[in-house]
């Protein structure tokens, strides 16, 4: 894990993970930094699939954040995700490894990318969300 990623994790009050830990040991390592809310991904081992939800809503700082791994097809993705999690100020998804920070109809649609496996993305990345009084302020952090 890049040093910049570790520094952000050490500062976090809560870690939200949108899946593809692959191994339970990775989830356990994240939990050593603090509380973790997570869903399982398509590459996760059976122990993770049994212990984590496919999707969930996290309540933090007066805001509701939907979390899912697979967002479905690119066409219509943002509207579909916002509709899938009514009442949420943001939806965090994974799977594509391509960062996205976009506001659609008052809902943040967020993909942190990946700090470890960038695949089709141009950079390794993660998101930091500041959440206070129900307001969500996302910031994409690129990692070297």
């Amino acid at each position: 894990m890049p040093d910049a990623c570790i520094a952000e994790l050490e500062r976090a009050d809560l870690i939200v993970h949108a899946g593809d830990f692959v191994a339970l040991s990775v989830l356990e390592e994240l939990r050593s930094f603090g509380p973790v809310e997570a869903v399982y991904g398509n590459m996760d081992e059976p122990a993770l699939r049994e212990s984590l939800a496919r999707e969930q809503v996290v309540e933090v700082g007066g805001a509701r954040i939907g979390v899912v791994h697979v967002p479905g097809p690119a066409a219509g993705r943002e509207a579909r995700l916002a509709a899938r999690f009514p009442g949420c100020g943001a939806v965090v998804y994974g799977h594509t490894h391509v960062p996205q920070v976009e506001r659609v109809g008052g809902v943040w649609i967020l993909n942190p990318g990946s700090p470890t496996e960038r695949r089709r993305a141009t950079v390794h990345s993660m998101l930091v969300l500041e959440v206070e009084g129900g307001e969500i302020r996302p910031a994409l952090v690129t990692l070297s």
Side-chain angles (χ1 to χ4, degrees):
M1 205 176 320
D3 289 343
C5 181
I6 292 170
E8 293 293 347
L9 292 172
E10 289 175 339
R11 284 193 286 274
D13 294 323
L14 175 68
I15 298 166
V16 176
H17 197 288
D20 275 353
F21 294 96
V22 180
L24 184 57
S25 61
V26 177
L27 174 57
E28 291 168 351
E29 181 181 1
L30 282 181
R31 286 180 172 154
S32 74
F33 293 102
V36 176
E37 293 287 345
V39 297
Y40 68 79
N42 62 299
M43 300 298 292
D44 289 338
E45 65 186 18
L48 287 161
R49 290 175 178 257
E50 291 169 12
S51 66
L52 299 173
R54 186 175 147 265
E55 63 182 49
Q56 71 167 319
V57 173
V58 176
E59 297 192 26
V60 60
R64 292 170 40 90
I65 300 170
V67 185
V68 65
H69 181 67
V70 178
R77 175 178 291 155
E78 291 79 10
R80 190 175 55 253
L81 286 172
R84 186 172 180 173
F85 294 96
C88 288
V91 178
V92 176
Y93 72 94
H95 193 61
T96 68
H97 295 240
V98 177
Q100 181 178 9
V101 179
E102 186 175 348
R103 191 139 187 172
V104 178
V107 177
W108 286 105
I109 304 298
L110 306 169
N111 186 318
S114 174
T116 56
E117 233 184 280
R118 65 177 180 80
R119 294 189 185 168
R120 291 178 289 130
T122 58
V123 296
H124 290 96
S125 62
M126 63 187 293
L127 280 169
V128 172
L129 303 181
E130 288 188 28
V131 184
E132 188 176 350
E135 183 182 345
I136 301 167
R137 292 180 302 283
L140 186 67
V141 177
T142 56
L143 306 165
S144 52

